[in-house]
């Protein structure tokens, strides 16, 4: 289907403001920030006395059997650690996203009426007849990544290709967009960028998590998208269930769970340690070890960009990567792209057999 046209465009240096169309995600209702704050404070007020009580009654544990004493000690430590995570998570939630530190090589656009900032990169050929290519990164990365290792300026200039690579909400310098839908993304984020860069027809390629955004783009803008490329396709829950594939929906949370303080707050605190564990995680699998040993420069690029994905704090990453409705649930709008991909895979398998 064709996207809803942009209602208004206003330009103010150095950030362009664009009024987005109606969002599909607006059809869902969520707990307001005031309501969540009240729930969180009530939960903390109930949790802290309970976690402090074992400290007061701790000496009584020595009078019981050693196994019960050990179990009580473990529970006490666990409860105290959980309480600390909740308190830290509440601070992170209250603080919100970190201030924007602009990258000199990036561009920024502001969508109205929310005032949300979107970061994107433009690189490659500067010729007027250059082929526009929308490059969509994977999770835990930013729009800056591919220009440093795959789509370098030299390569794109030889091919006369001009790349446009946005950073998703909560990644890099882009603002958080809680409870967003991938189906909405081409209209809310990409179209304003295309309008600012005066791009009509384009090609789109996505990698991993970016393939979901690429398929949504091809479906939402069929008259403008001339070609679609998928690298390590990331399929929605419905298609995975039908094909009996493993799906992230089995590992992450639902939206209503992220609205519960006893779940969200410790996650916000725990995610603060994730960025420091990225190098360890990359080195923990064979391909990662090969990159470290054979391509150390690529490893540095990967680690630096993965760390940069937390530029605005962990809030956006939690709402983005742990929300099954955002990452795994897609509307019928992109059903045709998903089914076309699965059909193509089945045909390839038949040819190979």
């Amino acid at each position: 289907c064709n996207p809803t046209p942009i209602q208004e465009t206003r330009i103010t240096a150095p950030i362009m403001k664009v009024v987005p169309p109606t969002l599909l995600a607006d059809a869902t209702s969520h707990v307001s920030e005031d309501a969540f704050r009240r729930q969180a404070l009530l939960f903390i007020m109930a949790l802290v006395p309970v976690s402090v009580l074992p400290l007061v009654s701790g000496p009584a544990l020595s009078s019981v059997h050693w196994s019960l004493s050990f179990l009580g000690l473990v529970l006490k430590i666990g409860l105290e650690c959980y309480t600390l995570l909740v308190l830290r998570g509440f601070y992170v939630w209250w603080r919100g996203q970190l201030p924007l530190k602009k990258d000199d090589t990036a561009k920024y656009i502001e969508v109205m009426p929310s005032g949300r900032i979107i970061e994107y990169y433009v690189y490659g050929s500067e010729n007027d007849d250059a082929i526009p290519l929308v490059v969509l990164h994977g999770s835990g990365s930013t729009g800056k990544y591919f220009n440093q290792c795959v789509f370098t300026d030299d390569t794109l200039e030889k091919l006369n290709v001009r790349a446009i690579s946005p950073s998703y909400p909560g990644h890099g310098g882009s603002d958080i967009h809680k409870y967003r839908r991938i189906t909405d993304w081409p209209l809310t984020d990409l179209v304003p960028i295309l309008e600012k860069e005066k791009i009509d027809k384009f090609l789109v390629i996505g990698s991993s998590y970016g393939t979901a955004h690429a398929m949504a783009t091809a479906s939402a803008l069929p008259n403008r998208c001339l070609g679609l490329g998928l690298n390590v396709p990331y399929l929605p829950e419905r298609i995975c269930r039908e094909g009996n594939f493993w799906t992230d929906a089995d590992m992450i949370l639902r939206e209503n769970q992220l609205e519960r303080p006893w779940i969200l707050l410790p996650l916000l605190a725990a995610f603060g340690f994730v960025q420091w564990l990225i190098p360890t995680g990359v080195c923990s699998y064979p391909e990662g070890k090969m990159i470290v040993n054979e391509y150390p420069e690529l490893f540095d690029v990967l680690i630096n960009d993965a760390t940069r994905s937390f530029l605005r704090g962990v809030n956006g990453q939690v709402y983005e990567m742990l929300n099954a409705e955002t990452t795994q649930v897609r509307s019928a709008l992109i059903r045709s792209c998903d089914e076309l991909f699965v059909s193509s895979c089945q045909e390839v398998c038949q040819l190979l057999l």
Side-chain angles (χ1 to χ4, degrees):
C1 65
N2 293 324
T4 304
I6 300 298
Q7 301 174 0
E8 178 184 354
T9 300
R10 296 179 295 168
I11 302 177
T12 58
I15 298 176
M16 180 179 179
K17 297 183 179 181
V18 177
V19 178
T22 302
L23 306 182
L24 296 178
D26 287 343
T28 59
S29 59
H30 303 286
V31 175
S32 67
E33 288 197 1
D34 289 338
F36 182 87
R37 184 182 297 109
R38 290 193 297 269
Q39 293 177 12
L41 289 173
L42 289 173
F43 175 65
I44 291 173
M45 291 172 62
L47 177 64
V48 171
V50 173
S51 63
V52 173
L53 183 61
L55 293 177
V56 178
S57 59
L61 294 174
S62 60
S63 62
V64 299
H65 191 271
W66 70 268
S67 60
L68 295 178
S69 177
F70 178 75
L71 178 60
L73 179 63
V74 171
L75 292 176
K76 179 178 72 172
I77 294 175
L79 182 59
E80 291 167 1
C81 291
Y82 175 75
T83 302
L84 292 175
L85 287 175
V86 169
L87 293 174
R88 170 65 182 175
F90 183 72
Y91 164 74
V92 172
W93 178 86
W94 187 286
R95 179 192 64 190
Q97 65 183 2
L98 299 178
L100 173 61
K101 296 180 180 179
K102 291 185 178 180
D103 185 342
D104 293 337
T105 62
K107 293 187 177 183
Y108 299 88
I109 187 170
E110 182 179 359
V111 292
M112 302 301 291
S114 66
R116 188 168 56 86
I117 302 297
I118 305 170
E119 173 189 78
Y120 69 100
Y121 292 81
V122 179
Y123 47 90
S125 176
E126 297 181 357
N127 296 333
D128 293 337
D129 62 344
I131 302 172
L133 173 66
V134 177
V135 181
L136 303 177
H137 63 84
S139 60
S141 183
T142 74
K144 188 175 185 176
Y145 173 69
F146 281 114
N147 184 222
Q148 303 175 82
C149 60
V150 180
F151 299 103
T152 62
D153 287 322
D154 291 341
T155 300
L156 295 179
E157 287 171 0
K158 292 178 181 178
L159 297 173
N160 196 29
V161 171
R162 179 189 184 198
I164 299 93
S165 186
S167 296
Y168 306 136
H171 292 67
S174 294
D175 281 350
I176 296 172
H177 190 182
K178 294 193 298 185
Y179 310 122
R180 76 179 182 97
R181 297 292 185 268
I182 288 179
T183 308
D184 292 329
W185 183 84
L187 308 181
T188 60
D189 289 40
L190 182 59
V191 166
I193 294 173
L194 296 176
E195 296 300 321
K196 180 181 178 181
E197 297 298 325
K198 297 180 173 57
I199 293 175
D200 182 22
K201 309 291 185 179
F202 61 89
L203 304 173
V204 61
I205 183 171
S207 179
S208 188
Y209 189 44
T211 62
H213 295 77
M215 287 187 282
T217 298
S219 181
L221 306 173
N223 296 325
R224 301 177 65 176
C225 181
L226 302 178
L228 168 65
L230 305 177
N231 178 34
V232 194
Y234 186 78
L235 297 175
E237 179 181 8
R238 177 183 57 81
I239 294 294
C240 291
R241 301 295 186 201
E242 292 177 2
N244 197 27
F245 302 146
W246 179 87
T247 168
D248 277 357
D250 295 327
M251 304 293 293
I252 56 180
L253 303 173
R254 296 292 175 176
E255 246 169 35
N256 61 342
Q257 294 175 305
L258 290 175
E259 295 180 327
R260 300 170 185 174
W262 48 91
I263 295 178
L264 176 62
L265 297 183
L267 285 175
L268 287 173
F271 251 61
F273 301 102
V274 170
Q275 54 186 315
W276 309 114
L277 298 176
I278 290 174
T280 304
V282 172
C283 298
S284 63
Y285 56 95
E287 293 84 355
K289 294 179 181 178
M290 181 193 70
I291 293 175
V292 173
N293 296 327
E294 300 182 16
Y295 307 98
E297 295 179 355
L298 176 59
F299 176 75
D300 291 338
V301 169
L302 176 63
I303 296 304
N304 290 335
D305 195 70
T307 301
R308 189 178 181 278
S309 67
F310 290 90
L311 185 65
R312 308 296 302 277
V314 302
N315 303 56
Q317 292 288 328
V318 170
Y319 282 110
E320 184 81 4
M321 303 314 305
L322 296 184
N323 182 359
E325 274 76 10
T326 290
T327 63
Q328 281 285 290
V329 177
R330 305 176 207 164
S331 73
L333 181 64
I334 56 177
R335 179 183 178 92
S336 58
C337 284
D338 293 326
E339 293 181 342
L340 177 62
F341 170 76
V342 173
S343 176
S344 299
C345 289
Q346 292 173 343
E347 291 177 3
V348 172
C349 290
Q350 290 176 356
L351 290 174
L352 292 176
L353 294 176

